[in-house]
Amino acid sequence: MGHKKKTSLKTTLQSQQIRLKNKEKAAHAAEAAELKKKHKGKGKAPALRPTIPFTPTDKILLIGEGNFSFAHALVIDPPLSLEHLPPSNITATSYDSEEECYDKYPDAKSKVDVLLERGAEVLFGVDGTRLEKCNALKKRLFDRVVFNFPHAGKGITDQDRNILSNQMLILGFLRSVVSCLAEGTIPTRNLSQKPKKPADDDDDEDIDAPLPSTTQGARGTVLITLRNVPPYTNWDVPRLAKAPPKPASLGTPPNPNYKLLRSFVFHRKMWKGYEHRMTKGERAHGRGTTGEGGEDRTWEFCLKD
């Protein structure tokens, strides 16, 4: 019985991959048409201001901090709007033990030392798909939970199996993080600006939006950042969050449904010193080309009512 359900989950995720590939072909055709249209137009559209998805009062949980360079940027040299964010509001976690982390990322220790000195919290050995098992996080709620460039890191060469492995990681994280999210009302948009928004929330279109209105009592949000190019787009993160498949086995809790609040370009230059590192640590020779081109994009979700 259990095996049958697991096969059903795999079939569901693979059907999503097929749908995505067809969608990408249509998107490329639309992009080509849009570029042609822009070349005929006069002038250029004004550049959008980079989105900073935090406020100075947020309690922030960072998942999977490889060498802790994002946490370091957030504490030491954040964007101007966050200069009054207390370091004590930030909890940065690593999947690896402290020893494994420093072995993988030689520059991590100096960053961790600075974070601790400034008053931020650093936790090692935290599995992002089992956050409820971490004693240090029990009964604690956060306004923002961030997972930058998640990857299962299993080294699977078969593309379909690799995609499935990472989809399972995302589903596990989205299921586990529920226990860490602050309760409250659904965040609302700043209606003084007019973002592009699909008429139907179930649509997969991206949403470039301003920050939600900073009202008190809003529920916590989840932010997942990936390269917005294959193979990462094949993971279909928005769909996994909004319309997740049924669990693989009877003993697994149901996958929660999320609402996509917005998506926006993630500008690495806004986070001084931030360096995306591989799950397996520093490479001995050269650099890979996976994910070249395109952009980094963040999707922000909150739990549906």
Side-chain angles (χ1 to χ4, degrees):
M1 180 71 86
H3 179 71
K4 183 178 180 182
K5 286 189 174 288
K6 189 170 184 179
T7 302
S8 176
L9 173 62
K10 181 177 179 180
T11 301
T12 301
L13 293 175
Q14 287 179 335
S15 68
Q16 289 182 354
Q17 293 176 30
I18 294 173
R19 178 180 59 79
L20 267 176
K21 289 176 182 177
N22 292 333
K23 182 182 174 183
E24 283 175 1
K25 290 180 181 178
H28 289 156
E31 183 180 0
E34 184 66 20
L35 286 173
K36 186 176 181 180
K37 182 179 178 182
K38 283 183 179 179
H39 283 308
K40 291 182 178 180
K42 295 181 180 180
K44 295 182 179 180
L48 292 173
R49 185 174 61 183
T51 299
I52 307 300
F54 312 113
T55 72
T57 60
D58 284 343
K59 292 188 181 299
I60 303 169
L61 174 62
L62 306 177
I63 304 298
E65 279 288 285
N67 68 343
F68 289 92
S69 59
F70 185 77
H72 188 271
L74 194 54
V75 168
I76 301 305
D77 200 358
L80 188 61
S81 62
L82 299 178
E83 62 179 348
H84 298 301
L85 173 67
S88 59
N89 279 21
I90 298 169
T91 299
T93 72
S94 168
Y95 175 79
D96 301 305
S97 68
E98 187 169 5
E99 182 180 356
E100 290 170 335
C101 178
Y102 297 158
D103 184 54
K104 281 185 179 181
Y105 314 104
D107 58 340
K109 189 179 188 310
S110 61
K111 292 180 172 58
V112 169
D113 288 343
V114 172
L115 290 172
L116 294 174
E117 181 183 330
R118 293 295 185 95
E121 182 179 25
V122 175
L123 302 174
F124 294 94
V126 178
D127 185 340
T129 66
R130 289 177 171 79
L131 295 172
E132 68 282 359
K133 301 294 185 183
C134 178
N135 290 329
L137 295 177
K138 286 184 177 179
K139 297 184 179 180
R140 294 176 58 188
L141 303 177
F142 296 86
D143 301 298
R144 306 284 175 264
V145 181
V146 181
F147 203 165
N148 286 329
F149 304 99
H151 198 284
K154 294 185 176 179
I156 300 173
T157 55
D158 179 79
Q159 184 172 338
D160 289 341
R161 287 178 57 219
N162 189 35
I163 291 170
L164 179 62
S165 172
N166 284 291
Q167 287 179 318
M168 297 302 290
L169 168 67
I170 298 298
L171 286 172
F173 166 64
L174 292 173
R175 191 165 52 240
S176 175
V177 76
V178 171
S179 64
C180 296
L181 294 173
E183 298 178 353
T185 58
I186 292 178
T188 56
R189 295 183 181 283
N190 183 346
L191 298 179
S192 64
Q193 300 183 45
K194 296 182 180 180
K196 298 176 183 178
K197 183 183 178 185
D200 185 353
D201 182 59
D202 288 333
D203 197 332
D204 268 351
E205 293 298 322
D206 294 332
I207 309 169
D208 281 304
L211 282 171
S213 300
T214 55
T215 55
Q216 293 293 325
R219 66 186 58 176
T221 66
V222 176
L223 297 105
I224 298 175
T225 301
L226 286 170
R227 292 293 290 168
N228 197 31
V229 293
Y232 307 108
T233 48
N234 294 331
W235 299 4
D236 205 2
V237 169
R239 182 66 62 179
L240 291 179
K242 295 186 296 182
K246 292 181 179 180
S249 62
L250 294 175
T252 304
N255 293 312
N257 292 87
Y258 286 83
K259 176 182 177 64
L260 175 61
L261 296 174
R262 58 180 176 168
S263 79
F264 50 89
V265 176
F266 176 88
H267 293 275
R268 300 191 194 200
K269 65 181 180 180
M270 296 300 296
W271 309 101
K272 296 178 182 178
Y274 173 60
E275 302 167 314
H276 167 47
R277 294 297 174 87
M278 291 183 64
T279 307
K280 289 182 176 294
E282 301 280 11
R283 285 179 176 169
H285 304 286
R287 300 181 63 183
T289 58
T290 302
E292 284 191 347
E295 63 187 11
D296 297 328
R297 179 160 285 269
T298 299
W299 286 266
E300 184 170 15
F301 308 94
C302 74
L303 286 168
K304 274 190 173 181
D305 286 328

